[in-house]
Amino acid sequence: MSDSTVLPVIDLSDLDGDDTTRNALLDRLREATHEIGFFHLAGHGIEPALADGLVAAAREFFALPEADKLAIENIRSPHFRGYTRVGGERTQGYVDWREQLDIGPERDAVAEVDPDRPWEVLHGPNLWPEQVPRLRELALRWIDEAGNVGRRLLGAWAESLGAPADHFEDAFADPDPLLKIARYPGHDRSVTDQGVGSHKDVGALTLLYPEPGSTGFQVERDGRWVDIDPLPGHFIVNIGELLEVATGGYLQATVHRVLPPPAGTDRVSLPFFLNPGLDRELPAVELPADLAAAARGVGPDAHGGTLHAVYGLNALKSRLRAHPNVAERFHADLLARFAAPR
């Protein structure tokens, strides 16, 4: 059973307003993320043409012959980059019904991974489709611009919680963002009833840009699933587990999922995950007394395991669980250490 709801709308351009406008925005941001954990974001400054161009390039890629897409399949990447075929990803152990490209910062692979820094296996180059050369430029531009939006939001969050605007800045000096370019093919749900299963996001915050007119995104509230319909030109924003840790549970990562579209249809979605550097943790926020009294403590991750302060441990745990084929091929030694609940 699900219900529809209207999320709050946060206009990021209000940060540039007068003191009254700015303070009202900070209050609204704090309340929305404490009470719901999700909101629509307007005033982010990303040009509609960039969003339209990236969605069009994504559709061009997904329309390629299967062999061309599999040429950059993530099974070729020890860094979990590249293409995942339909049914190739897991959430909560169950098959997700989408195909996607995982794109992160363009970095050289670490030649010899430090056992005390196992997340270094995630550093490495992306895999790009030769047949759609513009996808690389558009995706990397999206990562840059969405990252700037996310960092502005983090500064606003810090201020709304009584901390300086630059409270989180050092952790994001060399961030490790992730962009997923995903396509959800419609089906009759005979294989699985999930596009992406219920989960929380492991990083700091997520900026989701759904293709206009798409449906199926749901948030769990008070034990029921709530449909969230996108607004044209807006992001849907949610906090990740790292902000839950940093605020002692005053902000809590919210469980959400995506249902598959009807048979004979499909949709494209651009979830962008802003994360600190793999070896960094978000500094704890010293909350004012009234906010601290409303903090709910830090819960376990969606698997019942420990939430780690260092982002790289959460990221590695998530990738190992989500892509067992890549993990088994390249990182069998890490599976037992990090993939099981702990």
Side-chain angles (χ1 to χ4, degrees):
M1 177 180 178
S2 68
D3 301 282
S4 293
T5 193
V6 177
L7 292 182
V9 176
I10 302 294
D11 191 329
L12 196 58
S13 66
D14 285 349
L15 275 178
D16 301 320
D18 59 26
D19 287 347
T20 300
T21 300
R22 201 171 190 280
N23 290 334
L25 167 72
L26 296 178
D27 289 343
R28 188 170 174 79
L29 177 65
R30 181 183 63 251
E31 291 166 5
T33 46
H34 174 64
E35 295 172 5
I36 302 175
F38 278 82
F39 58 90
H40 295 290
L41 184 68
H44 47 73
I46 295 181
E47 291 294 328
L50 175 57
D52 293 344
L54 184 53
V55 169
R59 284 202 165 275
E60 186 179 346
F61 168 72
F62 290 126
L64 291 174
E66 189 76 0
D68 291 339
K69 293 185 287 187
L70 293 178
I72 59 167
E73 190 177 15
N74 63 354
I75 194 65
R76 304 171 186 272
S77 169
H79 323 294
F80 298 86
R81 306 291 179 84
Y83 174 70
T84 302
R85 67 179 75 192
V86 173
E89 188 176 26
R90 303 288 188 274
T91 298
Q92 298 280 39
Y94 297 99
V95 173
D96 291 329
W97 210 251
R98 67 177 176 181
E99 56 179 334
Q100 66 187 33
L101 271 176
D102 277 33
I103 302 165
E106 287 281 15
R107 293 195 172 113
D108 293 330
V110 175
E112 191 169 339
V113 173
D114 184 339
D116 294 328
R117 296 164 54 86
W119 53 80
E120 289 181 338
V121 301
L122 302 178
H123 286 304
N126 293 300
L127 302 180
W128 300 104
E130 294 179 0
Q131 300 85 352
V132 192
R134 66 189 177 118
L135 184 62
R136 184 182 192 277
E137 176 188 353
L138 291 167
L140 293 178
R141 185 178 161 199
W142 189 268
I143 287 174
D144 286 343
E145 296 197 19
N148 290 335
V149 173
R151 283 188 288 273
R152 288 199 78 198
L153 264 177
L154 284 170
W157 257 312
E159 285 190 87
S160 77
L161 298 171
D166 63 356
H167 181 77
F168 296 118
E169 214 165 80
D170 286 350
F172 291 86
D174 185 21
D176 196 76
L178 176 67
L179 170 63
K180 286 182 178 287
I181 299 177
R183 173 183 170 268
Y184 295 87
H187 62 86
D188 61 7
R189 305 193 186 185
S190 60
V191 177
T192 177
D193 63 357
Q194 65 186 40
V196 172
S198 62
H199 66 285
K200 300 177 183 179
D201 293 339
V202 301
L205 66 91
T206 303
L207 299 172
L208 171 65
Y209 187 88
E211 190 172 27
S214 60
T215 59
F217 185 77
Q218 295 186 323
V219 175
E220 187 179 39
R221 295 203 68 195
D222 302 322
R224 60 189 175 89
W225 288 107
V226 178
D227 292 309
I228 305 298
D229 295 327
L231 298 178
H234 292 59
F235 284 108
I236 298 173
V237 182
N238 68 277
I239 65 170
E241 292 173 331
L242 288 184
L243 276 177
E244 181 174 331
V245 173
T247 62
Y250 180 81
L251 303 181
Q252 287 195 324
T254 305
V255 176
H256 54 286
R257 69 182 184 183
V258 181
L259 299 180
T265 69
D266 71 347
R267 68 171 175 268
V268 168
S269 185
L270 307 174
F272 170 81
F273 307 91
L274 180 60
N275 310 307
L278 289 170
D279 60 348
R280 305 302 299 270
E281 58 185 84
L282 294 193
V285 177
E286 187 174 340
L287 297 170
D290 58 329
L291 301 186
R296 294 158 289 196
V298 178
D301 69 12
H303 295 259
T306 301
L307 286 180
H308 301 285
V310 175
Y311 168 63
L313 291 174
N314 291 316
L316 178 61
K317 179 178 64 175
S318 175
R319 303 291 205 287
L320 291 169
R321 289 172 174 169
H323 299 283
N325 55 341
V326 178
E328 290 164 6
R329 180 174 184 180
F330 295 107
H331 306 300
D333 58 321
L334 297 177
L335 276 171
R337 288 178 62 191
F338 297 105
R342 37 186 308 122

